[in-house]
Amino acid sequence: MKISWYLLLASALMPLISCGDQAPGESESAELSKDSYNEPHRPQLHFSPPKMWMNDPNGMVYFEGEYHLFYQHYPDSNVWGPMHWGHAVSKDMVHWEHLPIALYPDSLGYIFSGSAVVDWENSSGFGKDGQPPLVAIFTHHDMAAEKAGRSDYQYQSIAWSNDRGRTWTKYEGNPVLKNPGDTRDFRDPKVFWHEESSKWVMTLAVKDHVRFYSSPDLKSWTFLSEFGRKHGTHAGVWECPDLFPMMANDKEKKWVLLVSINPGGPNGGSATQYFVGQFDGKNFTVDPAFAKDVENEMAVWLDYGRDNYAGVTWSDIPREDGRRLIIGWMSNWDYSQVVPTQAWRSAMTLPRSLYLGASGQGLRLFSRPVAELESLQRLSYSLDARPLSGEFDLTGSLEFSPDLMEVLLEVDFPEGTAADFGLTLSNAAGEEYSIGYDASKVGFYSDRTRAGAADFSGKFAAQRHLAPRVNPASRLRFHLFIDRASCELFADWGTTVMTECFFPSVPFDRVKIYSKNGEVQIVSGQFHQLQSIWQ
């Protein structure tokens, strides 16, 4: 979710909807016009709502062959307002089917962020006919209580579904976890089943740290412990936590704690930090080797771009799959409500697989695009091995527009070089976007300072954005997804990731690669036209 002054601004500028539940599908925009999903800047590879406002992904759960994606949604405006849970499902995390709104505001408040699980053993008692229910755990936000000056206006509630998530019933005993009254920021529950202690565990964001709770049945919750007052950065409010186990280098079990923060990101505004350690069913402790990286207000970041926030992972992925899958909100609270789109606002990142492995800076979390995205590849162009010094224009070689494209380049950098290698998209309006690697600074950059509209916010394109390289190898792997108005970089097998949006006045239709301040060796290059997920 987000900090309180947004709530006050929204309530002042927008009409409030009734707190009563509406029938499933009411006010829903599942039917698209003939021009929908083809507006300027509308992403073709990324999930976006049919219309109006969207922010955090919520309630991601896999059940009976479907990936569920709920999301923070205001169906009556393209800026933030009374929060609902929008809903979509997919069989591959790539192609999505819009479903009616799942959860509406009610007498307890707006429906803020949360999670969902399959209650396989029916511990909640919500199951029917021997089938496990889906249970959603979310924050209720009482706007009236906030306006009255109370500090206990956020608390946790649940709802369940017995029809594969198509309809939801709120628990009559809500809230199931009341606010203790010691903080106004008490939200974004992420719940999982902890097998070792045979109980549900909730990770909850509480202003500048997280708290852990446990439950036998998803209804009654007991405080376990807290973490974070002395770890990571506290430059903003902590939000949208996630705790899960992973195998480090495929041999040692660790626990990873994600925590989004707003503001305080590495390039400004919203971003997601993480911690690596151990969880014993009660306490989370940071590994000693990782602790030095997150002390004294330091942070380790999941994504260094400006436009990946509030990402949490899917629950109940089958054991035979084994992946830890994540998706985030592709925007930033610094400017999300004023970007130059009208019919809709915001998109999700591409779905990614997370891996925990060694890097030049110690144990790190890597992000890689899911393999299912390969199904979108159509026309391809291969670039032969060659030295590169200066510019190489690829526009005439490609048989497709570069504004919907996947790029994979492997490049060798001579020892001691100061070469600056990258890729530039441009158009006839003189706008351009560049993303590259500067060997002299041992870092990547994304430059949208001349990539189109930026006057909507002084924070959007004031300078180029930077990210460190953590892989010490001389060979650079440069993997890009370009989608009309965004670029996602997965460098060196996902050891450094950057996600950025931009808004050209006309589509980018020209592309070149370059090497400044020295020569590099192109080892291989692949350029793929990608098909829209909405076709």
Side-chain angles (χ1 to χ4, degrees), residues 311-523:
V312 290
T313 63
W314 265 280
S315 71
D316 294 280
I317 297 299
R319 291 183 182 273
E320 56 271 23
D321 182 314
R323 293 178 294 178
R324 178 59 58 172
L325 301 168
I326 188 170
I327 200 168
W329 177 45
M330 196 165 66
S331 194
N332 191 306
W333 281 117
D334 271 354
Y335 43 75
S336 58
Q337 300 193 89
V338 293
V339 295
T341 64
Q342 298 300 321
W344 90 102
R345 281 245 169 85
S346 301
M348 298 301 179
T349 67
L350 292 177
R352 305 168 182 191
S353 296
L354 297 179
Y355 303 85
L356 191 62
S359 75
Q361 296 183 359
L363 202 60
R364 288 294 184 266
L365 198 59
F366 308 156
S367 302
R368 301 172 190 167
V370 297
E372 286 87 339
L373 290 163
E374 295 176 5
S375 66
L376 300 178
Q377 295 176 358
R378 293 300 179 261
L379 295 175
S380 298
Y381 171 77
S382 296
L383 182 65
D384 295 333
R386 68 184 67 203
L388 177 64
S389 179
E391 297 181 350
F392 181 58
D393 193 331
L394 289 157
T395 306
S397 301
L398 302 182
E399 298 180 8
F400 50 86
S401 175
D403 71 340
L404 198 61
M405 177 175 68
E406 179 183 1
V407 179
L408 181 56
L409 291 162
E410 293 195 350
V411 183
D412 281 342
F413 283 72
E415 185 176 355
T417 184
D420 178 345
F421 169 81
L423 177 146
T424 295
L425 300 168
S426 61
N427 58 26
E431 299 161 344
E432 63 178 36
Y433 169 75
S434 295
I435 187 162
Y437 172 71
D438 188 342
S440 68
K441 295 181 172 58
V442 196
F444 299 91
Y445 59 86
S446 171
D447 190 343
R448 63 186 183 190
T449 57
R450 298 176 54 204
D455 57 355
F456 52 84
S457 171
K459 296 181 178 181
F460 181 75
Q463 59 191 18
R464 71 179 188 172
H465 306 136
L466 307 175
R469 190 181 188 212
V470 299
N471 185 338
S474 61
R475 178 166 296 179
L476 175 72
R477 193 174 192 269
F478 206 68
H479 193 184
L480 298 173
F481 284 82
I482 296 160
D483 185 8
R484 286 192 173 178
S486 67
C487 179
E488 285 166 277
L489 167 66
F490 302 90
D492 298 326
W493 295 100
T495 57
T496 298
V497 180
M498 297 187 80
T499 303
E500 301 248 310
C501 296
F502 39 79
F503 300 96
S505 60
V506 293
F508 287 133
D509 56 3
R510 306 170 186 178
V511 60
K512 65 183 179 183
I513 56 175
Y514 58 84
S515 180
K516 306 173 184 177
N517 306 323
E519 183 178 273
V520 299
Q521 177 67 38
I522 305 295
V523 178

Side-chain angles (χ1 to χ4, degrees), residues 115 171 190 218 223 318 419:
S115 53
Y171 177 48
K190 185 64 162 68
L218 296 168
F223 174 75

Side-chain angles (χ1 to χ4, degrees), residues 39-113:
E39 305 98 338
H41 307 131
R42 172 76 87 162
Q44 298 299 295
L45 309 178
H46 299 76
F47 177 86
S48 59
K51 67 176 183 177
M52 300 305 175
W53 174 263
M54 178 183 77
N55 55 287
D56 304 359
N58 294 158
M60 286 104 73
V61 62
Y62 181 86
F63 185 59
E64 294 190 354
E66 292 180 326
Y67 298 91
H68 289 261
L69 170 61
F70 302 88
Y71 53 90
Q72 292 286 276
H73 182 44
Y74 183 35
D76 298 323
S77 176
N78 63 6
V79 296
W80 192 95
M83 285 290 96
H84 303 54
W85 269 25
H87 191 194
V89 293
S90 173
K91 296 187 180 300
D92 60 3
M93 295 177 288
V94 177
H95 303 88
W96 293 93
E97 175 189 353
H98 296 293
L99 294 179
I101 289 172
L103 297 174
Y104 288 83
D106 57 34
S107 60
L108 291 176
Y110 299 171
I111 311 296
F112 274 19
S113 291

